[in-house]
Structures are given as C-alpha cells and as structure tokens.
Amino acid sequence: MSNDHLHAMRHTAAHVLAAAAERLYPGVKLGVGPVIDNGFFYDIAFPEPISEANLAKLEKTMRRIIAEAHAMEREEMSIDEAIAFFADKGQEFKVELLKDLKEKGTTKMNPDEAQDIDVDNPDRASVYKTGEFVDLCRGPHIENVKGIGAFKLWKLAGAYWRGNEENAQLQRVYGLCFETQEELDAYIHMLEEAKKRDHRKLGKELDLFVFSELVGPGLPLWTPKGAFLRQKLDDFVWALRSVRGYKRVEIPHITKKDLYETSGHWEKFKDDLFKVETREGHVFAMKPMNCPHHTQIFDRKMHSYRDMPQRFANTTMVYRDEQTGELHGLSRVRSITQDDAHVFCRQGQVKEEMLKIWDIIETFYKGCGFGELAVRLSFHDPEHPEKYLGTPETWQQSEDALRDLAKARGVEAVEEPGEAAFYGPKIDFVTKDSLGREWQVATIQLDMNMPERFDLTCINEEGSPERIVMIHAAIMGSLERFLSNYIEHTAGVFPFWLAPVQVRLATVSQEQVEAASRIQAELVEAGVRAELDDSDERLGKKIRNAAMEKIPWTIVIGGKEAEGGDFKVNVFGQEEDLVIPAGELAARAAADSKFPM
Amino acid sequence: MSNDHLHAMRHTAAHVLAAAAERLYPGVKLGVGPVIDNGFFYDIAFPEPISEANLAKLEKTMRRIIAEAHAMEREEMSIDEAIAFFADKGQEFKVELLKDLKEKGTTKMNPDEAQDIDVDNPDRASVYKTGEFVDLCRGPHIENVKGIGAFKLWKLAGAYWRGNEENAQLQRVYGLCFETQEELDAYIHMLEEAKKRDHRKLGKELDLFVFSELVGPGLPLWTPKGAFLRQKLDDFVWALRSVRGYKRVEIPHITKKDLYETSGHWEKFKDDLFKVETREGHVFAMKPMNCPHHTQIFDRKMHSYRDMPQRFANTTMVYRDEQTGELHGLSRVRSITQDDAHVFCRQGQVKEEMLKIWDIIETFYKGCGFGELAVRLSFHDPEHPEKYLGTPETWQQSEDALRDLAKARGVEAVEEPGEAAFYGPKIDFVTKDSLGREWQVATIQLDMNMPERFDLTCINEEGSPERIVMIHAAIMGSLERFLSNYIEHTAGVFPFWLAPVQVRLATVSQEQVEAASRIQAELVEAGVRAELDDSDERLGKKIRNAAMEKIPWTIVIGGKEAEGGDFKVNVFGQEEDLVIPAGELAARAAADSKFPM
C-alpha cells in the first residue's frame, strides 16, 4: 500500500466529511480540510456550534454518502469563475483564498508555508465534485468514495480561520482513517493506551514529580520516588561508565558570556539562553550545555599522551529559555538534567572510545527493557555550511569516521543530512516504545571544532602539542525526556532493580506484624526497598493498594509465612505466583536488585 | 591575662614602632596605629618608601627604645593647642584629624565607624609621650614600654590615608605582639603552617579544583579528584541520613519570583539574588536557598499524621550575587553546593528529629577527624523585631525548644542574640581546626514561619488540618566552604576512606609489573582506589611522587611481594610501616574504606 494512496484516501474522506456537514447542517461554511498523520480534519463554521455528541450523526451521514458510491470528479475553471461559483454558494472562506490567489499570486500568508492551500496553479482553480457536493481542491483523490477504508470521527476542537485569533472561530472535526479496520482498531487501541500511559497522568498517580504555580512552568520538582528513579537510572549509567575509565567532574550552572563567545554558542544560541545580570553589571548566562565548561577543566594543565584519553562524566542540569506554549509535561522543560560525558582523546583513540560508548548505550537500553535501537547518522547540510563551525574537510573526516564505525558495528544506519550539531556530526540512537512510537534518545557526537576554538592539545611522543578531538556522549540525554518516554513505555511498571518500592509485605492480621517486621528488616538489611503494610485494612484492599502503586513484588504474610513457610510472591503483571523458600528471599531480592549489566 | 592588658600592650608597641620610625627616618609623617587581632600596625609616610629588608633595622630600634624603659606619659591639651603642636612637628595627618574634630565634632568619615580616631573628647586632645616621641592618642597604654611582651615586625603593605585611594599612599607596617615568646612562636608557626596549608595552594597541588577566566570568578570547576572528594563526603552524609528515614528530592535552580514573595526572601534578599530575564519578559531568580522549593514538594498533596515526619535531603547548588572583591578561593564563592535537608514534622516530633540531626553532625565531624564541636544558639535580636518573620511568642517558643535541646544533650551552649535566620533560631556548630582556628560549619534551624507563610499542614488524628513545623539542617553546609576548611585542617592528607587515590603500588623493576597488575586488580575489584606506578622511574622517585600526592598507602612491589610475601605498607605521615599478609590486603583496605559510622 503506497503512502500516496493512503494520502488520497484520507483526503477524499475529508471531502466526504464536508459533504455530510453540508447535508446535515445547511449553511455550513467550509474552511480547509487537509490530511494529517492518522487521518484528516476539516475546519467548519456550523450555523450553530456542534458538540462531540453530534459526531456520531455526522459519521453516519458520511457512511451513507460512501454507500452512495459517488465518483470524485475533477473540473477546472478560471479563478474568476471559481470566485463567482463559491460566492454563489456562500462559501466566503473559499472566496477569500481565491481572491488572495488572484491579487497576490499565492494563498500563503507567509513564505514559510509549504505550499498554496487547495490550488496549485495561480491562473486556474480545480474543484472536485462528490455527488451534489463541490469543493475547491488541488487533489489528488481516489476515484470513488467507496474506496475509503476504515474511518472514525475522533474529536472536535476549536480553530481560528487561517490560525489567526483575530479571525472567525471555526470547529475542527478530526477523523481517523486507515486502509483496514484492523489498522484503525489497532490505532484506536494505541490511542487509548497512550492516554492511560500519559506520563503526566502516571507521574501524578505514582507520585513522581510535581509542578508548582509559584516555581513556574517547565520546572519540575522531583518527589522522593521520582528523585529515586532519577538517581537509580543515573547510578546505572555511572556503573557502566566508571568501569570504562570515566571520572566525574562538577561545574557551576552559570558562566560569563566570554566562555560562549569562544565556543561559538553565544552567536548561535544567545536568544535561547537564560541571561543573568549581576549587581556589578556583568552578563552571565545559565549554561544550555556542558561542553564549554568541561574544556576548561581539561585545559587546567598540560596532558601527556600517556594520560589520554581523559573521560569526564557529569550529570547536571542545563537551562533553556523555552516558550511557555511549547512546554509539555517532562518532555519539554526549562530545567533539563543531562547525563553528559566528554571524552578528550587523540584522533587514533576515537574509534575505540566511541565503541565503548556504544556498548554503554546498548547495555543501558536493554537493561531498561527496550528492544533493539535504530541508528541514525546525523550529518551536516552541505548546502548550508554557514550553519556550522569548521571546514568542509573536517566535516568530511568526521562523518567518514562515523560511517566506518556504524559499519564496524554491523548496523544499518540511516544518514540524515542537516541533523548534525553545529560543531560536529552525531550518531543518534532511536528507541521504539511499547506503543510503537519512536524516540531519539542517546547520542554520540564527534567534535573537531571545540578543541580548535579552545586550543586543546596533549603533548605527544615527540614532546610537541598535538590537537585533540572531543567526543560528546549522553546516554539518557535529558533525564526528563527519557523519563517521559520511559514512564509511557513501561506504563509505570518499572523493572525490579529500578522500582522505588520493590517489595510490599502485607500482613493477614495483627498476629503476623512481628514476623513481618523481621522479614522487612532482613530485606532492608540486604539493600532491598521493602515496605510493610501492617494496617488494619482488609487483605484484599492491601493487595489492591500495592497493585495500584505497581509494586513489583507483593508478599502476603499469613500464619504459615510467619512460621517460616515458603513465600508466595505476587509478581506485578504476572498470573503465576513466584515461590521462594523463606531462607532465600533476601538473597534472591538482592540479586535481582543488581544493575542489569 | 586580661584582654584589656593585651590590647594596651599592643597599642604601646604601635607607639614604639612610630617612635623607632621617627628616630631612624627623620621626617616620617604618621597616620594611625591601631591594635589588631594578632598585634598592631602603623600607617606611616616614610621620606623614601622602605622595603621589607628595612623591617629588621626598625625592629632593632624598637628593641633599643624598649630597653630604654620609657614610661608612657599622658598629657591633655585643648584642640587648638594640639593642632599647633602637631603642625609644628610637621605631622599633617594628625593635624587633619584634629581639624575634623574641631569643625565637625568627630573624626569619623561616616557614621558607621565605631569610634573617633585617637581622641575621645571633642574638646580636649590627649597625647602620650614615650621619651622624645609624642603621639596623639586616646590610650589606654601600659605604664612603661618595658612591659611589652614578645613582638616581631611581620610584613609591609600599602594603605591609603583614611582608606581613600584619592589620598596619599602610606606604608602599613604590621607587628605581631603577644605576652610571651612562646605565644609569639606558636603564632608564627601557625602562620607558616596556614600558608603551607592554604587551600588555594593545596587545591592546585593536589589538582582538586580550578577557576577559569572564561567562566568567571567565584565559580569553581571541580576536577576528577575534587569532584570525587565532594561526592564521597556527600555520600557519607547520605549514608547517615538514609538510615534515619531521609529521602532525596530534586529541584531546579531557578524559580518565578512569586515563590520568594510568598516566602519573604524576595523582600529580604532581592539584592543578593541573581535575577534571570526570560524571552517572555518574566523575572525568574536563581535560588539562594532550597527551603521554598522544598515546601512545594511537601505541599503537593495532603499528608496524614501517620506519614509525618517527611524528611527531604537534597545536595544542590545555590547561587548568590557576591561582589567580586569579596570572593576568596572556595571559602567565598558564587556557586555554593549545600547538603541541605528539611524535615516537615509535628510540634511533638521536633525534639527527636533535632537529636537525630545532632547525631549525624557528631558522627560526620568525628569521622572526618575533627575534635569536639562547640555549640552556639543563634537567637533573634529582640531589639530589632523588624528583621524577622513571625511573632515574639513564636520566637520565644522556638528558642526555648533549642535551649531545652542543648540541655538534654548536656552541652555548654553559648547564646548569640542577633545571629538567627530571619525565619527562626539556629543551633550552629563550630569546629576548631588543626591550627586552632574556629569555623562555623553545620546548622540546625527551627522554623515555624515558613509553614505559616506556605500554609503547610498535616491531617491530625481528629481529621483536621494541623500546622506543622520545619527543621532546616545542613551537615557540611556549603561543600565549598567545608572543603576550604577541611583541606587546611588536614593539609590535604585525607583519611583513607576519603582519599581520591588510596593505594599506590610501586614496582621495583619491570619484572614485577605482572604481579603488581594482579594485586591492583584485586584491590579495584574489592572497591579500593588503587593505582599502579609501573614506570621506569627509580623507586625513590616513585615513592616521593606518591608522598607528594599525599596518597595514604604506598606499597613497594619487589621480588618478595610479587611472590606472595607480606606487604610493607608505607602509611603517609607515619614512621612505622604497616605489615599486612598478602592474602589480607584487599579485605583490609576494603574494610578501611567504609564510612567511619
């Protein structure tokens, strides 16, 4: 099934929606009705605003029109004929588009728009007929409305004509549309799942983070459980890094702007930086990234080639002045925690160091329960060299190195020109979550430009300074963004090693409290995060509470267990209980608490 | 020995210095010569500037004058007589002081100065005679110069007349002065030690931190070794906290100013805050403390009395807009890392929670090698209630609670009115370092005001909201300031459990490299930070290098050790070697690596 056909089919469905609206609500005025990722929408001014409750009726009328099996007939006319035609039908929005076209030669309101709306020729207009319904349209469409696959009207929203809040307010009717009913059902299921898994909803239910009106939007506050998750995930990254020779460094969150003038960030990003005024009138900036600070640690002294590479790791918050309207839960925030690392090394060490990072990334994502990662080579855009630092030769050399690396690793890597950082090309890793959505996560970047700008060298075997290179590497990238994905991927059911509370002991009655406390103490002593519910609630309620909190193991402590019998562990999301002999519980839980590396 | 007598003696020594200057360099013009902490100084305009080399001669002349055993004779005269007298001697600075007194009724240049210079009566001036030398002076002095104890001219500096750089530049001659030679010698020894131990010098030698011109003053960058120290110390604090029920939280470094308007910090500290302008024109502030942010985490939901106390720990950087001239190494910085904690609890839980914090503080400082801590109760100033939040009753109640606590703990606590935080009284802990200098370190603060302003409650046994209280607790306080003290206290010789590198293995020849690598691997496997020096340097050089880095254990690996013989551990700062059987090295080192708790 071609994308073109799917597009045409969705476009035809939009016309059927408009036709149904006209049939049901005479006098509707039609805006535009484009195709979108999962179907289509149409912006319509109804004589009286409709509600979600009206969608079923609208959908039924659409099905009737489809059953009538109208052909989609194209006709052309001159612009003036078209204006007269739509004016006659009272379709003022269509008339406005056509008049713009006639006067300005385009319907675009600004040059950034991809194409003209509904017309592809400034001299001629095309219309499509669907039975009695006629719409201004560039096409293409499928031949007959009966070819429309499975569809469903989905939701209703407000929309201003041409996106301008000074214009008339229309209603936007959204439709989902797929080739087959199976695809539509799967998509609807995914939508429902995604809604249930929304990290903002789960974040509240699982008590992971909170936003405060007083602190401000885009600035999440991390509760004990959320802070624990962050720390544990970061500890996992650190465990993978420390055995590979990384050392932690630490830096302040501000700097004189001089640092970014040298690095080139000031010129490039100064509008996106939070700027800080001091009482003495200096201009400081909050750091939007860590590399320039790290160069200053590397550059504190001479390094012999024997001491190379130097590998710095630093999990720290960076700040970006995002617009309020663009903030979204944890996925777009102003305070971004990066698990950042920079390797300062010689040219000949690049491959080995990058492969080590690649190992870390694979182990980490596997340990978190993601499937295989897709790999993208983000290269510079050769048509816009002005967007980047450095020479074409440096870029060629760096990009070749990344190509070789992907080859050495034996992966299919997609090349994406124009996706590089301004200082160098990247290897980006993309996960697919449990709903099939793709997220760009980890990144490895090769940088020959910062070392040039900061004049970073090591002393080589000949005793001369030798230009080094930098590798930028983040595993989770932004912890906030990673967690927004990860919460949705897992639906808040975290693996045993990671869960803030791993084990919930639930007593049957007060008689087992003493024994249960002893069992809890043993678990805690072994480093397991075990809680005891010894309240007077009924057992069923206790078990349900543990399940609500998605605690991996719930263990009922009744008379038998209190006397040393085997434990029956109720594993979250699993039918079958796990049976563990009394003497082995703490050791088994402790073993399962280790990082999956 | 009374402080008054010491003061008078030092003051007399200043006169003797001036007398010696006049005898040696006729035509000197004298500024002022006050007493300071360790002796005295005199600001003098010499006919030709002198150099440090001249101090010995000046000191010799002072000793001659003391040997002459002059009495210190006081005389009084009218202001006009005094002006004529000093004008006649060409002492223009004294004349200026006297004229000020005559015209303005004071010699103070601004009302903040503590007292008039050299005179205590606007109508009469007193002078003191020392043999042929006469100086304008309010006194008091000792009776005879022969009563001056031990002294030494110490250093020479530049000083503008009356501290104004538009005035004449004088030379400031510093003298140390104590009752006895022993005290003077001890003080000189301390000065030499302090110079050797200066944390800025040791920080560079031990490669712990660095400042960058591009990043800016007051913003330390932490190298791998320095970052390790910070992390390990903070892990120790965390180990002490986590077993006492603390949970980590995490917060951003900025906030809307609304948060500080509610907390009262904005009104109080707005000039000391770094302010951040956003692209949308909002005013954000960088946080200068963490309590207001933490209240927002506590306040995210209702808390039952059963869930109280809630204990939040958070090691995070705060920012203060310090003036450049006041910055000093790590002891005064702009980016301050606090090991902060806030306990949200009920009134009845305050005592137990504070005692727990007290335990943490004692264990931590003992584990770091400090002696007993002095305790200070920092209370509000009842004469300036406008400086504080809250009612006199609240303050009374809070301060009584702290008094009771100190009593319960059985310590002698000094009460210091006027030293409280603006929201509540504090228990401050003061260490004495190895040079006898006192540093205020940890703090416990009781706060009934923030909970009021943020309306923080828990639901009590009756199901009603009950106002809670907050306890603020920092163990190291500022990690930067703690480390500046701790580096000087230890002279960079950190305890085994804390040292960034704990063990250095030094091979005698290339023959032992394999065995030494195996020993190193065993140590690393056991979690010990062990390095191997298998270079071709001579053994003596290797041992000296390890000592330069102040590594706790240096172990020479020769033929015998390579073959499994006992290890002779050269312990830094210890004469006697520590002998450890081969099979026990890793276990012993790992045991000694545990936190001293």
Side-chain angles (χ1 to χ4, degrees), chain A residues 1-56:
Chain A
M1 183 66 53
S2 81
N3 261 333
D4 288 353
H5 182 267
L6 184 63
H7 191 276
M9 189 183 83
R10 286 172 170 169
H11 199 174
T12 302
H15 278 235
V16 173
L17 167 59
E22 209 169 72
R23 203 180 273 188
L24 270 178
Y25 306 98
V28 290
K29 294 184 195 312
L30 301 171
V32 293
V35 171
I36 53 175
D37 261 1
N38 53 16
F40 59 91
F41 68 74
Y42 216 116
D43 287 346
I44 303 173
F46 291 91
E48 296 289 326
I50 65 167
S51 72
E52 298 258 351
N54 300 104
L55 293 185

Side-chain angles (χ1 to χ4, degrees), chain A residues 207 253 280 300 319 324, chain B residues 207 253 279-280 300 319 324:
Chain A
D207 195 21
H253 299 81
E280 290 165 0
R300 74 192 183 282
Y319 287 83
T324 306
Chain B
D207 194 20
H253 299 82
R279 62 162 88 196
E280 291 165 359
R300 75 193 183 280
Y319 286 83
T324 305

Side-chain angles (χ1 to χ4, degrees), chain B residues 58-72:
Chain B
L58 206 47
E59 194 178 301
K60 200 170 164 193
T61 307
M62 285 177 72
R63 294 197 194 284
R64 184 166 306 146
I65 291 168
I66 291 171
E68 288 161 11
H70 301 287
M72 295 295 292

